[in-house]
Amino acid sequence: MWATFVMTIKTNLRNRPALFWLIVFPLALATLFNGVLGGLKDGYELQALPLAVVEDANWSKSAGARTFIEALSGKTTQTTTDGGAGGTDMRIGASVTTLVRARYVDTQAQARSALADGSAKGYLRVDDDGGIMLTLSASAVESMSGSMASDSNGAITVGALNGAIDLYNRAGAAVRDLIAEHPQAAESRAFWASVGDVTGMTREVSLTNFAPNATARYFYALLAMACLMAMGYSISAVTSAQANLSALGIRRTVAPVSRPCQLIAGFLASWLCSAVSLTIALAYIRYVCDVPLGGREPLAVLAVAVASFMACAFGTMIGAIPGLRHSVKTGLTSAIPCALSLFSGLYGQLAMELSDWITRHTPILALANPAQQVTNLFYDILYYDDYRPFATTCGVLIAMSLVFLTAGVAMLKEQRHEHL
């Protein structure tokens, strides 16, 4: 059995097509993904928006507006303003993300000219009530809206900016209403110190174990496809032990080593080779392409071991199918992964949407798709705080493996030959 194990490993190492699909192909495709999708995650980051700021008479009356805009421009880190929108005491937190790249002008006409020549995407002004108003150019709105938006950074920045301006305006309106009903509040230092102090009202929390990554799903689907291609090793191990498929199978049939020992040794050798090959691809994706694994790299190696075990079990079942030539079974090594990867989201945005639709509306199909389950393994590692989703997916893949192995063993037991 040990000799069969070692010989199978040597045979696998000489199998150039298998080494190509398991090592070279994932590395090449990962490099391509990294080049094409490398800047995708940058489209989900806040970037300062070039805006014109109108310094007219209303602006001069609002002492807090300048401090507020300077804080959003990153020129101040912590400020207490007196007067704000209608006398508001606004406190800007100690760390403020830069949302505005301000360009000061004297009139709205100059601001509109800045929009026309493209030097600004919008402008800020103070209205008669002391509130700050944001106006965007038509071209900026068009580039930030719709499913094919070209300026996703701007859309995210505008959303954050609207929230900050809305908070400023609501604080000013609340102060005016309170002073109108309770004029004595204007004489209280505690009142002015508390107005606009929202530092304790909100806090940053993470809903996932790791920050979402826009490109990770493509790389995980690639790993799933490479994993399924690993079943070629176990297909070769099974077919080489069948007397009706090759001369080697005839010699192995009459060898003193029992057939179960040959198959077990071939399966373990195939599992080892596929796990090592996929670990190389995982290391390249993690450390060269910089695709995150949520700080759980050892768990990702375990995921590769479970996934490659399932792939070898799948290959054992295909290799045991009677009546198919070895060349046909080898062809299935590529056809099946390519077909199943369509439903795990490997082939672009439309494939991703199809995968999501299947998961939402027909979850049983997603559950039965080995490529989807392998992709889920790495998603469970990256995003879930708890290990239960990962353990559940591992359980699904192990259950698949048992089904595949049971079917393969059943088919192999029924095969008999009248003569060799």
Side-chain angles (χ1 to χ4, degrees):
M1 182 175 175
W2 174 251
T4 304
F5 176 81
V6 173
M7 186 56 62
T8 303
I9 291 179
K10 291 181 179 179
T11 302
N12 290 340
L13 293 177
R14 296 190 187 103
N15 189 341
R16 294 181 180 179
L19 291 176
F20 172 82
W21 288 111
L22 283 176
I23 298 180
V24 179
F25 176 74
L27 267 57
L29 201 55
T31 303
L32 178 63
F33 281 0
N34 195 46
V36 174
L37 305 174
L40 186 60
K41 61 183 179 181
D42 297 335
Y44 294 87
E45 297 177 355
L46 288 172
Q47 294 183 359
L49 201 67
L51 297 176
V53 180
V54 181
E55 295 182 304
D56 54 9
N58 290 335
W59 174 270
S60 302
K61 296 176 185 178
S62 178
R66 178 179 293 276
T67 303
F68 179 74
I69 298 302
E70 287 182 350
L72 295 180
S73 303
K75 296 181 180 179
T76 59
T77 55
Q78 181 165 353
T79 310
T80 301
T81 74
D82 200 14
T88 306
D89 181 7
M90 287 290 293
R91 291 187 177 185
I92 307 300
S95 59
V96 179
T97 300
T98 301
L99 298 178
V100 175
R101 191 163 70 246
R103 171 189 174 184
Y104 293 93
V105 296
D106 295 329
T107 64
Q108 287 191 48
Q110 294 178 356
R112 294 191 185 98
S113 298
L115 266 62
D117 61 26
S119 60
K121 294 186 176 181
Y123 64 87
L124 295 166
R125 66 181 180 86
V126 178
D127 61 16
D128 296 336
D129 295 327
I132 297 177
M133 307 295 293
L134 170 64
T135 302
L136 294 175
S137 66
S139 59
V141 172
E142 183 179 357
S143 65
M144 297 177 191
S145 60
S147 58
M148 303 299 291
S150 59
D151 188 10
S152 55
N153 299 99
I156 295 174
T157 303
V158 167
L161 188 59
N162 275 334
I165 293 174
D166 183 61
L167 177 62
Y168 177 90
N169 292 338
R170 284 189 288 110
V175 168
R176 289 194 297 271
D177 292 342
L178 284 170
I179 292 179
E181 295 181 8
H182 307 283
Q184 66 276 12
E187 302 175 1
S188 172
R189 279 184 171 271
F191 171 76
W192 290 114
S194 63
V195 173
D197 186 2
V198 296
T199 56
M201 295 176 61
T202 60
R203 61 189 178 92
E204 183 178 359
V205 297
S206 177
L207 300 179
T208 59
N209 172 62
F210 196 82
N213 186 286
T215 62
R217 185 173 181 180
Y218 294 95
F219 290 93
Y220 295 163
L222 171 60
L223 281 173
M225 181 181 184
C227 169
L228 289 180
M229 286 184 171
M231 64 185 179
Y233 281 143
S234 54
I235 289 177
S236 298
V238 173
T239 56
S240 63
Q242 292 178 286
N244 63 325
L245 294 180
S246 65
L248 176 60
I250 296 175
R251 293 195 297 271
R252 284 185 139 187
T253 300
V254 298
V257 181
S258 66
R259 195 180 187 193
C261 288
Q262 292 183 38
L263 292 173
I264 292 173
F267 179 87
L268 293 177
S270 300
W271 183 19
L272 176 61
C273 292
S274 60
V276 171
S277 300
L278 291 170
T279 301
I280 294 173
L282 175 69
Y284 182 85
I285 289 174
R286 171 62 188 92
Y287 296 107
V288 178
C289 300
D290 197 26
V291 177
L293 290 169
R296 297 171 173 174
E297 283 75 12
L299 207 61
V301 175
L302 175 61
V304 164
V306 174
S308 58
F309 183 85
M310 180 276 301
C312 290
F314 198 2
T316 299
M317 183 185 70
I318 294 175
I321 297 175
L324 290 182
R325 297 190 305 273
H326 176 68
S327 59
V328 175
K329 295 176 181 180
T330 304
L332 293 176
T333 304
S334 301
I336 292 176
C338 290
L340 294 179
S341 295
L342 171 64
F343 306 104
S344 65
L346 178 63
Y347 304 129
Q349 185 63 33
L350 292 178
M352 291 287 183
E353 294 175 359
L354 176 61
S355 174
D356 294 338
W357 187 91
I358 292 174
T359 302
R360 288 193 301 267
H361 296 90
T362 55
I364 188 65
L365 295 180
L367 187 65
N369 184 353
Q372 183 64 61
Q373 294 306 312
V374 175
T375 303
N376 290 346
L377 266 184
F378 298 100
Y379 248 69
D380 296 341
I381 292 172
L382 182 64
Y383 290 126
Y384 285 99
D385 295 329
D386 198 352
Y387 292 104
R388 282 179 294 181
F390 175 77
T392 300
T393 308
C394 285
V396 171
L397 289 172
I398 292 174
M400 285 183 180
S401 303
L402 295 177
V403 171
F404 296 150
L405 287 175
T406 301
V409 170
M411 286 186 286
L412 289 171
K413 286 181 63 177
E414 296 300 323
Q415 294 181 18
R416 300 289 186 272
H417 307 286
E418 294 182 359
H419 55 83
L420 299 177

